[in-house]
Amino acid sequence: MHHRASRVFVLVAAALAVPVTLAVLLTGQLELHASINRVHAPWADALFATGTHLADGWVSVGIGLVLLFVRWRWFLLFAVGTVGSALVAQLLK
């Protein structure tokens, strides 16, 4: 069963990767960017502009405070992950 599931996963991944790879290789960067950005929904612009702020530091502080009172280990794991992610993001900028 596990072998079959792996094979299906690889086939689906390849079926998705081949057209994307061809589009990237056969299209210029500006043309590809313009064609991708042409497909969008106006309601999604407002949703994602607001949703972007969910990754703000204050949301992480709120989640951390809740976890602090629920489970100490969950809080510790969350804090290490959040701080590690912030450090990596700052190093890559």
Side-chain angles (χ1 to χ4, degrees):
M1 177 65 184
H2 179 67
H3 181 67
R4 179 185 159 116
S6 298
R7 183 182 298 171
V8 170
F9 175 79
V10 169
L11 288 173
V12 170
L16 294 173
V18 168
V20 170
T21 303
L22 288 174
V24 169
L25 292 176
L26 299 176
T27 310
Q29 183 178 2
L30 183 61
E31 183 183 351
L32 183 62
H33 182 74
S35 65
I36 290 172
N37 282 335
R38 223 176 299 145
V39 181
H40 70 89
W43 61 268
D45 292 340
L47 176 71
F48 288 113
T50 304
T52 299
H53 296 292
L54 290 176
D56 193 6
W58 289 111
V59 174
S60 296
V61 169
I63 293 171
L65 286 174
V66 169
L67 290 176
L68 181 63
F69 293 109
V70 174
R71 295 268 169 105
W72 171 251
R73 287 185 182 191
W74 290 1
F75 165 74
L76 192 58
L77 181 64
F78 181 77
V80 168
T82 302
V83 170
S85 173
L87 287 175
V88 168
Q90 290 305 314
L91 289 173
L92 291 176
K93 284 185 179 180

Short mmCIF file of all heavy atoms in Angstrom, two decimals, residues 25-79:
data_model
loop_
_atom_site.label_atom_id
_atom_site.label_comp_id
_atom_site.label_asym_id
_atom_site.label_seq_id
_atom_site.Cartn_x
_atom_site.Cartn_y
_atom_site.Cartn_z
N LEU A 25 10.67 27.82 -18.50
CA LEU A 25 11.78 27.77 -19.44
C LEU A 25 11.48 28.43 -20.78
O LEU A 25 12.38 28.98 -21.42
CB LEU A 25 12.19 26.31 -19.68
CG LEU A 25 12.81 25.59 -18.49
CD1 LEU A 25 13.08 24.13 -18.84
CD2 LEU A 25 14.09 26.27 -18.04
N LEU A 26 10.21 28.38 -21.20
CA LEU A 26 9.87 28.89 -22.54
C LEU A 26 9.33 30.32 -22.54
O LEU A 26 9.06 30.86 -23.61
CB LEU A 26 8.85 27.95 -23.19
CG LEU A 26 9.33 26.51 -23.41
CD1 LEU A 26 8.21 25.65 -23.96
CD2 LEU A 26 10.55 26.49 -24.32
N THR A 27 9.15 30.92 -21.37
CA THR A 27 8.56 32.25 -21.28
C THR A 27 9.54 33.19 -20.60
O THR A 27 10.22 32.81 -19.65
CB THR A 27 7.25 32.19 -20.46
OG1 THR A 27 6.44 31.15 -20.96
CG2 THR A 27 6.51 33.50 -20.54
N GLY A 28 9.58 34.43 -21.08
CA GLY A 28 10.43 35.42 -20.43
C GLY A 28 9.89 35.77 -19.05
O GLY A 28 8.70 35.60 -18.76
N GLN A 29 10.77 36.30 -18.21
CA GLN A 29 10.39 36.57 -16.83
C GLN A 29 9.26 37.60 -16.75
O GLN A 29 8.29 37.40 -16.00
CB GLN A 29 11.60 37.06 -16.05
CG GLN A 29 11.31 37.30 -14.58
CD GLN A 29 12.54 37.74 -13.82
OE1 GLN A 29 13.61 37.90 -14.37
NE2 GLN A 29 12.39 37.93 -12.53
N LEU A 30 9.35 38.68 -17.49
CA LEU A 30 8.33 39.72 -17.44
C LEU A 30 7.00 39.21 -17.99
O LEU A 30 5.94 39.45 -17.39
CB LEU A 30 8.79 40.95 -18.21
CG LEU A 30 7.85 42.14 -18.20
CD1 LEU A 30 7.64 42.62 -16.76
CD2 LEU A 30 8.40 43.26 -19.04
N GLU A 31 7.04 38.48 -19.08
CA GLU A 31 5.82 37.94 -19.68
C GLU A 31 5.15 36.92 -18.75
O GLU A 31 3.93 36.91 -18.58
CB GLU A 31 6.15 37.29 -21.01
CG GLU A 31 4.95 36.76 -21.75
CD GLU A 31 5.35 36.06 -23.04
OE1 GLU A 31 6.52 36.14 -23.45
OE2 GLU A 31 4.47 35.42 -23.62
N LEU A 32 5.96 36.07 -18.13
CA LEU A 32 5.42 35.07 -17.19
C LEU A 32 4.79 35.76 -15.97
O LEU A 32 3.69 35.40 -15.55
CB LEU A 32 6.52 34.12 -16.74
CG LEU A 32 6.13 32.98 -15.82
CD1 LEU A 32 5.12 32.07 -16.52
CD2 LEU A 32 7.35 32.20 -15.40
N HIS A 33 5.46 36.77 -15.46
CA HIS A 33 4.93 37.51 -14.31
C HIS A 33 3.61 38.19 -14.66
O HIS A 33 2.65 38.14 -13.89
CB HIS A 33 5.96 38.56 -13.86
CG HIS A 33 5.57 39.34 -12.67
ND1 HIS A 33 5.57 38.81 -11.40
CD2 HIS A 33 5.13 40.61 -12.54
CE1 HIS A 33 5.17 39.73 -10.54
NE2 HIS A 33 4.89 40.83 -11.21
N ALA A 34 3.55 38.81 -15.82
CA ALA A 34 2.32 39.48 -16.24
C ALA A 34 1.18 38.49 -16.46
O ALA A 34 0.03 38.77 -16.09
CB ALA A 34 2.57 40.27 -17.52
N SER A 35 1.46 37.33 -17.04
CA SER A 35 0.40 36.36 -17.29
C SER A 35 -0.13 35.76 -15.98
O SER A 35 -1.33 35.48 -15.86
CB SER A 35 0.88 35.26 -18.22
OG SER A 35 1.90 34.52 -17.61
N ILE A 36 0.73 35.57 -15.00
CA ILE A 36 0.27 35.04 -13.71
C ILE A 36 -0.56 36.09 -12.98
O ILE A 36 -1.60 35.78 -12.39
CB ILE A 36 1.47 34.58 -12.86
CG1 ILE A 36 2.07 33.32 -13.47
CG2 ILE A 36 1.05 34.32 -11.41
CD1 ILE A 36 3.37 32.89 -12.84
N ASN A 37 -0.12 37.34 -13.00
CA ASN A 37 -0.82 38.40 -12.27
C ASN A 37 -2.13 38.80 -12.93
O ASN A 37 -2.95 39.47 -12.31
CB ASN A 37 0.07 39.61 -12.09
CG ASN A 37 1.07 39.41 -10.98
OD1 ASN A 37 0.84 38.62 -10.08
ND2 ASN A 37 2.19 40.09 -11.06
N ARG A 38 -2.33 38.42 -14.18
CA ARG A 38 -3.57 38.72 -14.87
C ARG A 38 -4.75 37.94 -14.28
O ARG A 38 -5.90 38.38 -14.35
CB ARG A 38 -3.42 38.37 -16.35
CG ARG A 38 -4.00 39.39 -17.28
CD ARG A 38 -3.74 39.04 -18.72
NE ARG A 38 -2.29 39.00 -18.96
CZ ARG A 38 -1.69 38.16 -19.79
NH1 ARG A 38 -2.38 37.29 -20.48
NH2 ARG A 38 -0.40 38.17 -19.95
N VAL A 39 -4.47 36.79 -13.71
CA VAL A 39 -5.50 35.92 -13.16
C VAL A 39 -5.64 36.19 -11.67
O VAL A 39 -4.82 35.75 -10.87
CB VAL A 39 -5.14 34.43 -13.40
CG1 VAL A 39 -6.23 33.53 -12.86
CG2 VAL A 39 -4.87 34.18 -14.86
N HIS A 40 -6.66 36.95 -11.29
CA HIS A 40 -6.91 37.22 -9.88
C HIS A 40 -8.35 37.65 -9.69
O HIS A 40 -9.04 38.02 -10.63
CB HIS A 40 -5.96 38.29 -9.32
CG HIS A 40 -6.23 39.66 -9.86
ND1 HIS A 40 -7.10 40.52 -9.26
CD2 HIS A 40 -5.75 40.32 -10.93
CE1 HIS A 40 -7.15 41.65 -9.94
NE2 HIS A 40 -6.33 41.55 -10.96
N ALA A 41 -8.79 37.59 -8.47
CA ALA A 41 -10.15 38.02 -8.12
C ALA A 41 -10.06 39.29 -7.29
O ALA A 41 -9.26 39.36 -6.35
CB ALA A 41 -10.86 36.93 -7.33
N PRO A 42 -10.84 40.31 -7.61
CA PRO A 42 -10.77 41.56 -6.85
C PRO A 42 -11.07 41.39 -5.36
O PRO A 42 -10.45 42.05 -4.53
CB PRO A 42 -11.83 42.44 -7.52
CG PRO A 42 -11.98 41.88 -8.89
CD PRO A 42 -11.73 40.42 -8.76
N TRP A 43 -11.97 40.48 -5.01
CA TRP A 43 -12.28 40.28 -3.59
C TRP A 43 -11.09 39.68 -2.86
O TRP A 43 -10.91 39.91 -1.66
CB TRP A 43 -13.51 39.40 -3.41
CG TRP A 43 -13.35 38.02 -4.00
CD1 TRP A 43 -13.68 37.62 -5.26
CD2 TRP A 43 -12.77 36.89 -3.37
NE1 TRP A 43 -13.36 36.30 -5.45
CE2 TRP A 43 -12.79 35.82 -4.29
CE3 TRP A 43 -12.23 36.65 -2.12
CZ2 TRP A 43 -12.29 34.57 -4.01
CZ3 TRP A 43 -11.73 35.38 -1.84
CH2 TRP A 43 -11.77 34.37 -2.76
N ALA A 44 -10.27 38.92 -3.58
CA ALA A 44 -9.11 38.30 -2.95
C ALA A 44 -8.03 39.32 -2.63
O ALA A 44 -7.25 39.12 -1.69
CB ALA A 44 -8.55 37.20 -3.84
N ASP A 45 -7.97 40.41 -3.39
CA ASP A 45 -6.97 41.44 -3.10
C ASP A 45 -7.17 42.00 -1.69
O ASP A 45 -6.20 42.13 -0.93
CB ASP A 45 -7.06 42.57 -4.13
CG ASP A 45 -6.62 42.13 -5.52
OD1 ASP A 45 -5.91 41.11 -5.62
OD2 ASP A 45 -6.99 42.80 -6.49
N ALA A 46 -8.41 42.32 -1.35
CA ALA A 46 -8.68 42.85 -0.01
C ALA A 46 -8.46 41.77 1.06
O ALA A 46 -7.92 42.06 2.13
CB ALA A 46 -10.12 43.36 0.06
N LEU A 47 -8.84 40.55 0.76
CA LEU A 47 -8.67 39.46 1.72
C LEU A 47 -7.19 39.23 2.04
O LEU A 47 -6.80 39.15 3.19
CB LEU A 47 -9.29 38.18 1.19
CG LEU A 47 -9.10 36.94 2.04
CD1 LEU A 47 -9.93 37.03 3.31
CD2 LEU A 47 -9.46 35.70 1.26
N PHE A 48 -6.36 39.16 1.01
CA PHE A 48 -4.95 38.88 1.24
C PHE A 48 -4.21 40.08 1.79
O PHE A 48 -3.22 39.92 2.52
CB PHE A 48 -4.29 38.36 -0.04
CG PHE A 48 -4.71 36.97 -0.39
CD1 PHE A 48 -5.46 36.72 -1.51
CD2 PHE A 48 -4.38 35.91 0.43
CE1 PHE A 48 -5.86 35.43 -1.83
CE2 PHE A 48 -4.77 34.62 0.13
CZ PHE A 48 -5.52 34.38 -1.00
N ALA A 49 -4.66 41.29 1.48
CA ALA A 49 -4.05 42.47 2.08
C ALA A 49 -4.27 42.46 3.59
O ALA A 49 -3.38 42.82 4.37
CB ALA A 49 -4.61 43.73 1.46
N THR A 50 -5.45 42.05 4.01
CA THR A 50 -5.74 41.94 5.45
C THR A 50 -5.08 40.71 6.04
O THR A 50 -4.52 40.76 7.14
CB THR A 50 -7.27 41.86 5.67
OG1 THR A 50 -7.88 43.00 5.05
CG2 THR A 50 -7.60 41.84 7.14
N GLY A 51 -5.11 39.60 5.34
CA GLY A 51 -4.54 38.36 5.84
C GLY A 51 -3.03 38.41 6.00
O GLY A 51 -2.47 37.66 6.79
N THR A 52 -2.37 39.29 5.27
CA THR A 52 -0.93 39.43 5.38
C THR A 52 -0.53 39.84 6.79
O THR A 52 0.51 39.42 7.30
CB THR A 52 -0.42 40.47 4.37
OG1 THR A 52 -0.75 40.00 3.06
CG2 THR A 52 1.07 40.65 4.46
N HIS A 53 -1.37 40.59 7.46
CA HIS A 53 -1.05 41.06 8.81
C HIS A 53 -1.15 39.96 9.86
O HIS A 53 -0.74 40.16 11.00
CB HIS A 53 -1.95 42.23 9.18
CG HIS A 53 -1.72 43.42 8.30
ND1 HIS A 53 -0.55 44.14 8.33
CD2 HIS A 53 -2.48 43.99 7.36
CE1 HIS A 53 -0.61 45.12 7.45
NE2 HIS A 53 -1.78 45.04 6.84
N LEU A 54 -1.69 38.79 9.49
CA LEU A 54 -1.75 37.69 10.44
C LEU A 54 -0.36 37.17 10.80
O LEU A 54 -0.17 36.55 11.84
CB LEU A 54 -2.61 36.55 9.90
CG LEU A 54 -4.10 36.84 9.82
CD1 LEU A 54 -4.82 35.67 9.19
CD2 LEU A 54 -4.67 37.14 11.19
N ALA A 55 0.61 37.42 9.94
CA ALA A 55 1.98 36.99 10.23
C ALA A 55 2.74 38.05 11.02
O ALA A 55 3.94 37.91 11.26
CB ALA A 55 2.70 36.67 8.93
N ASP A 56 2.07 39.10 11.40
CA ASP A 56 2.69 40.16 12.18
C ASP A 56 3.13 39.61 13.54
O ASP A 56 2.60 38.64 14.04
CB ASP A 56 1.68 41.30 12.37
CG ASP A 56 2.32 42.55 12.89
OD1 ASP A 56 3.56 42.59 12.99
OD2 ASP A 56 1.59 43.50 13.20
N GLY A 57 4.11 40.24 14.15
CA GLY A 57 4.64 39.77 15.42
C GLY A 57 3.63 39.76 16.54
O GLY A 57 3.71 38.92 17.45
N TRP A 58 2.65 40.65 16.52
CA TRP A 58 1.67 40.69 17.60
C TRP A 58 0.78 39.46 17.63
O TRP A 58 0.36 39.01 18.70
CB TRP A 58 0.80 41.96 17.51
CG TRP A 58 1.60 43.17 17.87
CD1 TRP A 58 2.00 44.16 17.03
CD2 TRP A 58 2.13 43.50 19.15
NE1 TRP A 58 2.74 45.09 17.71
CE2 TRP A 58 2.83 44.71 19.02
CE3 TRP A 58 2.09 42.89 20.40
CZ2 TRP A 58 3.48 45.31 20.09
CZ3 TRP A 58 2.74 43.50 21.46
CH2 TRP A 58 3.41 44.68 21.30
N VAL A 59 0.51 38.89 16.47
CA VAL A 59 -0.28 37.66 16.43
C VAL A 59 0.51 36.52 17.07
O VAL A 59 -0.04 35.72 17.84
CB VAL A 59 -0.69 37.32 14.98
CG1 VAL A 59 -1.37 35.98 14.90
CG2 VAL A 59 -1.59 38.41 14.42
N SER A 60 1.81 36.46 16.79
CA SER A 60 2.65 35.44 17.40
C SER A 60 2.71 35.61 18.91
O SER A 60 2.70 34.62 19.66
CB SER A 60 4.07 35.51 16.83
OG SER A 60 4.06 35.21 15.46
N VAL A 61 2.76 36.84 19.37
CA VAL A 61 2.77 37.09 20.82
C VAL A 61 1.46 36.61 21.43
O VAL A 61 1.47 35.97 22.49
CB VAL A 61 3.00 38.60 21.10
CG1 VAL A 61 2.74 38.91 22.56
CG2 VAL A 61 4.41 39.00 20.72
N GLY A 62 0.35 36.89 20.78
CA GLY A 62 -0.95 36.44 21.30
C GLY A 62 -1.05 34.94 21.37
O GLY A 62 -1.49 34.38 22.39
N ILE A 63 -0.63 34.26 20.32
CA ILE A 63 -0.66 32.80 20.32
C ILE A 63 0.27 32.25 21.39
O ILE A 63 -0.06 31.30 22.10
CB ILE A 63 -0.30 32.25 18.92
CG1 ILE A 63 -1.38 32.62 17.91
CG2 ILE A 63 -0.09 30.73 18.96
CD1 ILE A 63 -1.02 32.30 16.47
N GLY A 64 1.45 32.87 21.52
CA GLY A 64 2.39 32.44 22.54
C GLY A 64 1.83 32.59 23.95
O GLY A 64 2.02 31.70 24.80
N LEU A 65 1.13 33.68 24.21
CA LEU A 65 0.54 33.88 25.54
C LEU A 65 -0.54 32.84 25.84
O LEU A 65 -0.63 32.33 26.96
CB LEU A 65 -0.04 35.28 25.66
CG LEU A 65 0.99 36.40 25.82
CD1 LEU A 65 0.31 37.76 25.78
CD2 LEU A 65 1.77 36.22 27.11
N VAL A 66 -1.33 32.52 24.84
CA VAL A 66 -2.35 31.49 25.03
C VAL A 66 -1.69 30.14 25.32
O VAL A 66 -2.08 29.43 26.24
CB VAL A 66 -3.28 31.40 23.79
CG1 VAL A 66 -4.16 30.16 23.87
CG2 VAL A 66 -4.12 32.66 23.67
N LEU A 67 -0.67 29.81 24.55
CA LEU A 67 0.02 28.54 24.76
C LEU A 67 0.75 28.50 26.10
O LEU A 67 0.88 27.44 26.70
CB LEU A 67 1.01 28.28 23.62
CG LEU A 67 0.40 27.97 22.26
CD1 LEU A 67 1.49 27.83 21.22
CD2 LEU A 67 -0.45 26.72 22.33
N LEU A 68 1.20 29.64 26.57
CA LEU A 68 1.88 29.70 27.86
C LEU A 68 0.98 29.21 28.99
O LEU A 68 1.43 28.55 29.92
CB LEU A 68 2.36 31.12 28.13
CG LEU A 68 3.13 31.38 29.41
CD1 LEU A 68 4.43 30.59 29.40
CD2 LEU A 68 3.42 32.86 29.55
N PHE A 69 -0.30 29.52 28.87
CA PHE A 69 -1.25 29.12 29.91
C PHE A 69 -1.88 27.75 29.65
O PHE A 69 -2.50 27.18 30.53
CB PHE A 69 -2.34 30.18 30.08
CG PHE A 69 -1.79 31.46 30.63
CD1 PHE A 69 -1.69 32.58 29.83
CD2 PHE A 69 -1.37 31.54 31.94
CE1 PHE A 69 -1.18 33.76 30.33
CE2 PHE A 69 -0.85 32.71 32.46
CZ PHE A 69 -0.76 33.82 31.65
N VAL A 70 -1.72 27.23 28.43
CA VAL A 70 -2.30 25.93 28.11
C VAL A 70 -1.29 24.82 28.40
O VAL A 70 -1.55 23.93 29.19
CB VAL A 70 -2.76 25.88 26.64
CG1 VAL A 70 -3.22 24.49 26.25
CG2 VAL A 70 -3.86 26.89 26.39
N ARG A 71 -0.17 24.86 27.70
CA ARG A 71 0.87 23.84 27.86
C ARG A 71 2.24 24.49 27.75
O ARG A 71 2.53 25.17 26.75
CB ARG A 71 0.77 22.75 26.78
CG ARG A 71 -0.46 21.92 26.82
CD ARG A 71 -0.22 20.67 27.66
NE ARG A 71 -1.46 19.98 27.92
CZ ARG A 71 -1.81 18.86 27.32
NH1 ARG A 71 -1.04 18.32 26.42
NH2 ARG A 71 -2.97 18.30 27.63
N TRP A 72 3.08 24.30 28.73
CA TRP A 72 4.40 24.90 28.75
C TRP A 72 5.25 24.41 27.57
O TRP A 72 5.94 25.18 26.92
CB TRP A 72 5.09 24.58 30.07
CG TRP A 72 6.53 24.98 30.09
CD1 TRP A 72 7.59 24.15 30.08
CD2 TRP A 72 7.06 26.31 30.10
NE1 TRP A 72 8.75 24.86 30.08
CE2 TRP A 72 8.45 26.21 30.09
CE3 TRP A 72 6.49 27.57 30.10
CZ2 TRP A 72 9.28 27.31 30.10
CZ3 TRP A 72 7.32 28.67 30.10
CH2 TRP A 72 8.69 28.54 30.10
N ARG A 73 5.20 23.11 27.27
CA ARG A 73 6.01 22.56 26.18
C ARG A 73 5.55 23.09 24.82
O ARG A 73 6.36 23.33 23.94
CB ARG A 73 5.96 21.04 26.20
CG ARG A 73 6.75 20.47 27.33
CD ARG A 73 6.81 18.98 27.27
NE ARG A 73 7.55 18.46 28.40
CZ ARG A 73 7.94 17.24 28.52
NH1 ARG A 73 7.66 16.36 27.57
NH2 ARG A 73 8.61 16.85 29.57
N TRP A 74 4.25 23.24 24.65
CA TRP A 74 3.76 23.80 23.39
C TRP A 74 4.26 25.23 23.22
O TRP A 74 4.64 25.64 22.13
CB TRP A 74 2.24 23.78 23.36
CG TRP A 74 1.63 22.41 23.25
CD1 TRP A 74 2.28 21.21 23.19
CD2 TRP A 74 0.25 22.13 23.18
NE1 TRP A 74 1.38 20.19 23.10
CE2 TRP A 74 0.12 20.72 23.09
CE3 TRP A 74 -0.89 22.90 23.20
CZ2 TRP A 74 -1.11 20.09 23.00
CZ3 TRP A 74 -2.11 22.28 23.12
CH2 TRP A 74 -2.21 20.88 23.02
N PHE A 75 4.22 25.99 24.32
CA PHE A 75 4.72 27.36 24.28
C PHE A 75 6.20 27.37 23.91
O PHE A 75 6.63 28.17 23.08
CB PHE A 75 4.52 28.05 25.63
CG PHE A 75 5.31 29.31 25.77
CD1 PHE A 75 4.93 30.46 25.10
CD2 PHE A 75 6.46 29.34 26.55
CE1 PHE A 75 5.68 31.62 25.21
CE2 PHE A 75 7.20 30.48 26.67
CZ PHE A 75 6.82 31.64 26.00
N LEU A 76 6.99 26.51 24.52
CA LEU A 76 8.42 26.47 24.26
C LEU A 76 8.69 26.12 22.80
O LEU A 76 9.52 26.76 22.15
CB LEU A 76 9.08 25.46 25.19
CG LEU A 76 10.59 25.48 25.27
CD1 LEU A 76 11.09 26.85 25.70
CD2 LEU A 76 11.07 24.42 26.22
N LEU A 77 8.00 25.13 22.29
CA LEU A 77 8.16 24.74 20.89
C LEU A 77 7.76 25.89 19.95
O LEU A 77 8.46 26.19 18.99
CB LEU A 77 7.33 23.49 20.59
CG LEU A 77 7.40 22.95 19.18
CD1 LEU A 77 8.81 22.47 18.86
CD2 LEU A 77 6.42 21.82 19.00
N PHE A 78 6.65 26.53 20.26
CA PHE A 78 6.19 27.65 19.45
C PHE A 78 7.18 28.80 19.49
O PHE A 78 7.49 29.42 18.46
CB PHE A 78 4.80 28.11 19.92
CG PHE A 78 4.24 29.25 19.14
CD1 PHE A 78 3.69 29.04 17.89
CD2 PHE A 78 4.25 30.54 19.64
CE1 PHE A 78 3.17 30.09 17.15
CE2 PHE A 78 3.74 31.59 18.92
CZ PHE A 78 3.18 31.37 17.67
N ALA A 79 7.70 29.11 20.67
CA ALA A 79 8.64 30.22 20.82
C ALA A 79 9.93 29.95 20.06
O ALA A 79 10.44 30.84 19.35
CB ALA A 79 8.93 30.47 22.30
#
